[in-house]
Amino acid sequence: MPVTFVSSNIFCYIYIPSDFILPIQTRSTHEIHNFLKLVSCLFTELPQCKCFTLGGWTQWFDIDNPSGTGDWELLTDLRSENPGKICDNPTDIEAVTLSGQSVAEAGEKIYKYDTTSGFVCRNEDQLDRRCNDYKVRFSCPPDVCKEVCWTNWYNRDRPSGTGDWETLSDLQKQYPGQICAEPLYIEAVTVPDETPAILSGDNILFYSPTKGFVCRNQDQKSGFCKDYKVRFGCYCSKVA
């Protein structure tokens, strides 16, 4: 699982799965170097650092077996059956038998074994006319992931009724084309002092990029919510 860092001019997020950190000795020098680069970016280049994803190995793939003409683990076929799971330009490929033997240990003649074509072992090239069954994986380079952009601020409701209802569905109807279909982030602040919702002292019913924001008057000790405005974070290409 990759490490991902996303920042805006207000705040930032860094997602570091525990299986990356522990045990660190199992990580390659390449991965550790890029992790340190990410941390350096976080603390020294925050305004310029938008999003960064560490490269690494994909999962193992095994879409064929040698029951026909051989074991054909072609990159084009692997991508077709596993959309989005293999990067555009792999830097390395590894193949092992299902029992865990490397290609060298298996001792078979391999027809193709590269990051452009994938892996092919043909039965006709073997002395016993039968390949082992192999699985493959690919190494992907570090890459800059899609930048996150923020929408305008929206304030369609006031707490004079049952509360402040800034739901995503209502906002998308009221402001067609201005908010992406599936936002990644949401931010809500009070009006006019712009206190973050989580620090406002109100009990919030929901606060979600896929649902929006709702504060109900009935949930407050004072009987009334504060007035809020919201905005959403989307991939830049999906923000009008």
Side-chain angles (χ1 to χ4, degrees), residues 57-79:
W57 288 96
T58 65
Q59 67 187 68
W60 290 100
F61 302 102
D62 179 21
I63 61 171
D64 194 26
N65 61 64
S67 59
T69 59
D71 194 352
W72 296 71
E73 307 291 344
L74 293 173
L75 185 54
T76 52
D77 295 336
L78 289 166
R79 283 201 177 107

Side-chain angles (χ1 to χ4, degrees), residues 116-135:
T116 303
S117 303
F119 178 88
V120 176
C121 177
R122 300 189 304 185
N123 290 337
E124 66 183 79
D125 297 327
Q126 315 311 318
L127 293 176
D128 60 359
R129 299 296 178 181
R130 177 88 175 180
C131 291
N132 280 291
D133 192 2
Y134 290 86
K135 60 182 179 180

Side-chain angles (χ1 to χ4, degrees), residues 29-217:
T29 302
H30 180 71
E31 287 180 298
I32 295 172
H33 170 78
N34 284 297
F35 174 73
L36 294 176
K37 180 180 177 181
L38 180 148
V39 174
S40 174
C41 179
L42 174 63
F43 288 105
T44 64
E45 301 178 31
L46 185 59
Q48 293 78 33
C49 189
K50 295 297 183 182
C51 188
F52 185 86
T53 303
L54 288 181
W57 288 96
T58 65
Q59 67 187 68
W60 290 100
F61 302 102
D62 179 21
I63 61 171
D64 194 26
N65 61 64
S67 59
T69 59
D71 194 352
W72 296 71
E73 307 291 344
L74 293 173
L75 185 54
T76 52
D77 295 336
L78 289 166
R79 283 201 177 107
S80 295
E81 293 195 22
N82 300 275
K85 294 185 178 181
I86 304 173
C87 55
D88 292 335
N89 299 296
T91 57
D92 201 0
I93 180 176
E94 182 181 8
V96 298
T97 65
L98 296 189
S99 63
Q101 283 187 311
S102 67
V103 172
E105 290 171 334
E108 294 182 324
K109 184 177 180 180
I110 304 304
Y111 181 62
K112 289 184 181 294
Y113 190 13
D114 59 68
T115 57
T116 303
S117 303
F119 178 88
V120 176
C121 177
R122 300 189 304 185
N123 290 337
E124 66 183 79
D125 297 327
Q126 315 311 318
L127 293 176
D128 60 359
R129 299 296 178 181
R130 177 88 175 180
C131 291
N132 280 291
D133 192 2
Y134 290 86
K135 60 182 179 180
V136 299
R137 65 176 183 170
F138 298 87
S139 179
C140 295
D143 195 7
V144 176
C145 61
K146 295 180 180 179
E147 186 177 348
V148 174
C149 289
W150 290 89
T151 65
N152 295 323
W153 289 99
Y154 303 104
N155 185 11
R156 61 166 295 277
D157 195 23
R158 301 289 187 275
S160 55
T162 60
D164 195 349
W165 296 73
E166 307 290 344
T167 64
L168 177 60
S169 58
D170 288 337
L171 288 166
Q172 286 173 329
K173 290 176 184 177
Q174 190 165 337
Y175 302 96
Q178 295 187 29
I179 306 172
C180 59
E182 298 178 347
L184 302 171
Y185 310 105
I186 182 175
E187 184 179 5
V189 298
T190 60
V191 177
D193 58 353
E194 298 194 342
T195 300
I198 58 174
L199 301 177
S200 69
D202 283 344
N203 293 312
I204 308 303
L205 180 63
F206 60 77
Y207 188 5
S208 161
T210 58
K211 293 182 178 180
F213 177 90
V214 171
C215 177
R216 298 188 304 183
N217 290 336

